C-alpha cells in the first residue's frame, strides 16, 4: 500500500470518528428529551483488494446504529395526560397541516407518524398534543358497550363536555317494617330524590300503613309534582318476616304493574307506569325493587315499633359538565363529569414494527414507516407482545451520559491517532522528496 493510500485511509478514519462524535453530541444534547432514542455508531471496513499475497486497505466507513428498541427510564409526572410506554410499541400521532380560519377546524396530513414522547396535554380545541406538536391518535369507543372501533384511528378530540341526564328507572328499597306497630300509628314517609328525562330533581314518597289484618301492609307512593300524584295502595303479605310468595297485590291501582312471577326467590318488585311531570317532559316508568319473595333481604317484617330504613337508592343521574380525564393501562380515555359519572369515549392503541430500528427519524422525536421497518401493526396496550401505558408517567431518554463520555474519549483518541498517521505519511513523503537533493 502506498503512502498516499495510507493518508487516504487515515482521512476516512477522521471522517468516521467525526461522524461518531456527531452522534455522541446529538445523544448528549437530547439526554433530557422525553422519549428520545440514542444513536450509536457502527464501523465497517472498506477494502479495495485483499488476498493471500497482498492487502490494500481502503479505510473505514461509519454508519448510524439506531437504538429505538431500548427502553428509557420511567419518570413520574403530575399531569394526568402524560403517558409512558413500558415495553414495545409507539403512540400513533398525526401532524397538523392547516387550520380553518373561520371554523378553527384542524386539517391533518394524510401521513402516519409515531412517537414515544408521551407528554400530551389538552389544547384549546380539546386535542391531546405533545410538546413537539403531534396529536395523539386513538379509536372511538362506544360508551354504552365499551367496544372500540378499530377500523379507524384518528386524532382524539375531547368534545364530550356535557354528560346527558339519565331518568330514574329503578329504585332499590330495603327496610324493616315493625311487626309490633299499632295499626293506628302513622309511619313517616321514606322520601327519595329521582330525576326526570331532562335532569330535573323530583321527589317520591313511600308511605307504609299497617292494616288490621296480621302480616298485611299497604304501600302508597306519592309524587307531589307528577301525574298521577299518587300510586297504590299496594298490598304486601309477610310470612315469617319475609315477603310471602304471591304476597303482592296491585289490583287497587291499574297504573302499577305487578311482578311477572311471585315464586320464592323471584324479585319482589312493582312498576309505576307513566309518571308524567308535564312541560313536554317524557313520561317514565319506574320499577321499585323491595327484595325477593321468601328471602330475608330487601323489605322484611321483624320485631320493632319503628320503621328501620336500610337502603334507598335510585339509578337516575342529573346532567354533568366535563371535569377531567384519565387514561388507564389498557389505553382507555375515561372522562369524569361533575355528576359523578365516568364515560369512556376513546382507546389509545400502540403500534409495533418488525424492525423498529429501521424507522425513519423526523423532527420532534417522531418516526415514520420505512422499507426497513416493516408495516405498522396497531393493537390495544397489553395485548400480545404490546407494551402497557402508564398515565402520569413519561419515558426518559435512553441515553447514558457516562457511556457517551466514554465513547467521546475513545473517538477523540482514535481521531488523534488517525491524524498522526497523516503527519507520519507527510514526513515520509518529505524524505522521498529530499532524496533528489
Amino acid at each position: 500500500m502506498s503512502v498516499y493510500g495510507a493518508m487516504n485511509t487515515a482521512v476516512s478514519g477522521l471522517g468516521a470518528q467525526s461522524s461518531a462524535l456527531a452522534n455522541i453530541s446529538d445523544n448528549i444534547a437530547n439526554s433530557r428529551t422525553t422519549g428520545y432514542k440514542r444513536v450509536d455508531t457502527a464501523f465497517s471496513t472498506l477494502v479495495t483488494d485483499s488476498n493471500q499475497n497482498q492487502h490494500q486497505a481502503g479505510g473505514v466507513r461509519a454508519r448510524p446504529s439506531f437504538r429505538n428498541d431500548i427502553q428509557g427510564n420511567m419518570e413520574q409526572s403530575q399531569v394526568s395526560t402524560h403517558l409512558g410506554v413500558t415495553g414495545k410499541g409507539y403512540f400513533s400521532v398525526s401532524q397538523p397541516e392547516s387550520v380553518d380560519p373561520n371554523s378553527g377546524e384542524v386539517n391533518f396530513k394524510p401521513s402516519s407518524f409515531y412517537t414515544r414522547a408521551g407528554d400530551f396535554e389538552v389544547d384549546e380545541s380539546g386535542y391531546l398534543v405533545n410538546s413537539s406538536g403531534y396529536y395523539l391518535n386513538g379509536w372511538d369507543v362506544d360508551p354504552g358497550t365499551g367496544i372500540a372501533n378499530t377500523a379507524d384511528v384518528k386524532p382524539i378530540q375531547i368534545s364530550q363536555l356535557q354528560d346527558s341526564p339519565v331518568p330514574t328507572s329503578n329504585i332499590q328499597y330495603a327496610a324493616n317494617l315493625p311487626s309490633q306497630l299499632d295499626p293506628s300509628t302513622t309511619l313517616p314517609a321514606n322520601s327519595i330524590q329521582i330525576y326526570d328525562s331532562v335532569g330535573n330533581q323530583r321527589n317520591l314518597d313511600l308511605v307504609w300503613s299497617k292494616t288490621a289484618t296480621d302480616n298485611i301492609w299497604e304501600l302508597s307512593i306519592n309524587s307531589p309534582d307528577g301525574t298521577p300524584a299518587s300510586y297504590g295502595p299496594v298490598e304486601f303479605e309477610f310470612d315469617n318476616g319475609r315477603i310471602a310468595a304471591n304476597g303482592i297485590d296491585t289490583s287497587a291501582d291499574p297504573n302499577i304493574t305487578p311482578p311477572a312471577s311471585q315464586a320464592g326467590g323471584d324479585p319482589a318488585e312493582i312498576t309505576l307506569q307513566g309518571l308524567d311531570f308535564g312541560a313536554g317532559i317524557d313520561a317514565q316508568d319506574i320499577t321499585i325493587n323491595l327484595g325477593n319473595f321468601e328471602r330475608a333481604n330487601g323489605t322484611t317484617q321483624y320485631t320493632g315499633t319503628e320503621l328501620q330504613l336500610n337502603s334507598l337508592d335510585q339509578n337516575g343521574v342529573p346532567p354533568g359538565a366535563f371535569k377531567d380525564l384519565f387514561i388507564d393501562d389498557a389505553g382507555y380515555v375515561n372522562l369524569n363529569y361533575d355528576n359523578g359519572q365516568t364515560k369512556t369515549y376513546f382507546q389509545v392503541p400502540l403500534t409495533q414494527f418488525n424492525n423498529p430500528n429501521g424507522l425513519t427519524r423526523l423532527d420532534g422525536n417522531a418516526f415514520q414507516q420505512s422499507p426497513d421497518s416493516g408495516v405498522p401493526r396497531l393493537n390495544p396496550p397489553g395485548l400480545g407482545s404490546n407494551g402497557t401505558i402508564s398515565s402520569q408517567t413519561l419515558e426518559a431518554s435512553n441515553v447514558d451520559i457516562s457511556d457517551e463520555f466514554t465513547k467521546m474519549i475513545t473517538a477523540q483518541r482514535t481521531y488523534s491517532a488517525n491524524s498522526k498517521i497523516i503527519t507520519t505519511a507527510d514526513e515520509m513523503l518529505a524524505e522521498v522528496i529530499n532524496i533528489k537533493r
Side-chain angles (χ1 to χ4, degrees):
M1 187 183 84
S2 68
V3 174
Y4 286 109
M7 293 183 69
N8 290 332
T9 299
V11 169
S12 73
L14 294 177
Q17 297 307 317
S18 296
S19 297
L21 188 62
N23 293 338
I24 293 167
S25 175
D26 201 16
N27 291 339
I28 293 176
N30 286 281
S31 61
R32 292 300 302 163
T33 301
T34 299
Y36 173 79
K37 301 301 180 182
R38 75 171 188 264
V39 184
D40 292 339
T41 306
F43 301 96
S44 59
T45 58
L46 291 173
V47 179
T48 56
D49 185 21
S50 180
N51 54 49
Q52 294 296 321
N53 298 318
Q54 66 175 355
H55 175 77
Q56 293 183 2
V60 64
R61 176 170 55 192
R63 65 173 182 82
S65 178
F66 300 111
R67 297 273 60 97
N68 302 337
D69 57 345
I70 295 180
Q71 175 81 45
N73 292 329
M74 305 304 287
E75 299 178 345
Q76 292 299 310
S77 169
Q78 298 299 316
V79 181
S80 63
T81 53
H82 283 181
L83 304 175
V85 178
T86 302
K88 297 180 179 180
Y90 294 80
F91 297 113
S92 172
V93 291
S94 293
Q95 191 175 44
E97 187 171 45
S98 63
V99 179
D100 189 306
N102 297 319
S103 66
E105 181 180 354
V106 181
N107 300 309
F108 296 94
K109 294 181 179 179
S111 303
S112 298
F113 303 91
Y114 309 94
T115 188
R116 295 275 289 202
D119 51 343
F120 299 102
E121 296 187 21
V122 181
D123 71 359
E124 68 278 3
S125 299
Y127 290 102
L128 288 167
V129 187
N130 71 7
S131 58
S132 298
Y134 287 93
Y135 289 60
L136 179 63
N137 291 333
W139 296 318
D140 286 334
V141 173
D142 186 326
T145 64
I147 297 175
N149 176 21
T150 59
D152 184 29
V153 62
K154 60 184 181 181
I156 294 173
Q157 185 179 23
I158 310 300
S159 58
Q160 301 80 3
L161 303 181
Q162 181 76 33
D163 184 41
S164 300
V166 177
T168 299
S169 62
N170 187 274
I171 294 175
Q172 297 290 324
Y173 180 86
N176 181 60
L177 306 179
S179 62
Q180 298 171 307
L181 183 73
D182 188 315
S184 63
T185 303
T186 300
L187 290 174
N190 293 140
S191 296
I192 184 171
Q193 284 187 338
I194 63 171
Y195 296 92
D196 61 24
S197 60
V198 297
N200 294 317
Q201 286 188 358
R202 308 289 184 171
N203 289 322
L204 278 186
D205 298 328
L206 282 67
V207 182
W208 289 97
S209 301
K210 187 177 184 182
T211 68
T213 304
D214 288 343
N215 301 318
I216 302 296
W217 291 75
E218 290 181 345
L219 173 64
S220 298
I221 302 100
N222 302 322
S223 175
D225 50 357
T227 302
S230 179
Y231 288 87
V234 180
E235 187 178 277
F236 286 78
E237 180 182 357
F238 289 85
D239 180 19
N240 197 30
R242 306 164 186 175
I243 300 176
N246 300 307
I248 295 181
D249 182 4
T250 63
S251 59
D253 190 340
N255 292 320
I256 298 180
T257 303
S261 173
Q262 298 194 33
D266 288 337
E269 58 188 22
I270 58 175
T271 300
L272 313 181
Q273 299 177 5
L275 180 56
D276 190 352
F277 296 104
I281 298 172
D282 293 339
Q284 59 200 89
D285 297 340
I286 299 177
T287 297
I288 303 176
N289 184 287
L290 298 102
N292 297 84
F293 291 101
E294 298 185 345
R295 299 293 186 268
N297 63 346
T299 305
T300 58
Q301 180 200 237
Y302 292 132
T303 186
T305 57
E306 295 181 357
L307 186 150
Q308 178 181 330
L309 180 64
N310 296 321
S311 69
L312 183 55
D313 298 308
Q314 58 86 43
N315 66 344
V317 177
F322 173 73
K323 185 173 62 174
D324 56 28
L325 65 85
F326 73 95
I327 302 172
D328 62 24
D329 292 349
Y332 287 107
V333 181
N334 303 287
L335 276 59
N336 295 323
Y337 297 90
D338 61 7
N339 60 357
Q341 294 292 99
T342 297
K343 299 289 182 65
T344 302
Y345 287 100
F346 310 99
Q347 186 179 21
V348 179
L350 289 179
T351 308
Q352 279 202 59
F353 298 87
N354 287 338
N355 177 25
N357 293 327
L359 290 167
T360 299
R361 294 196 169 202
L362 303 172
D363 288 343
N365 207 12
F367 302 90
Q368 264 191 315
Q369 176 189 351
S370 76
D372 294 329
S373 68
V375 297
R377 307 187 308 275
L378 274 73
N379 283 299
L383 180 65
S385 61
N386 256 12
T388 58
I389 291 177
S390 300
S391 61
Q392 292 187 290
T393 304
L394 291 174
E395 181 186 7
S397 163
N398 64 358
V399 173
D400 185 329
I401 292 294
S402 61
D403 186 42
E404 297 302 316
F405 281 165
T406 301
K407 290 188 289 186
M408 181 169 61
I409 294 171
T410 302
Q412 180 184 17
R413 294 303 183 191
T414 307
Y415 189 94
S416 297
N418 279 280
S419 65
K420 189 65 175 177
I421 291 175
I422 295 175
T423 302
T424 302
D426 178 60
E427 292 175 353
M428 293 173 67
L429 287 173
E431 291 296 327
V432 172
I433 292 172
N434 289 335
I435 292 175
K436 188 173 183 302
R437 296 177 184 176

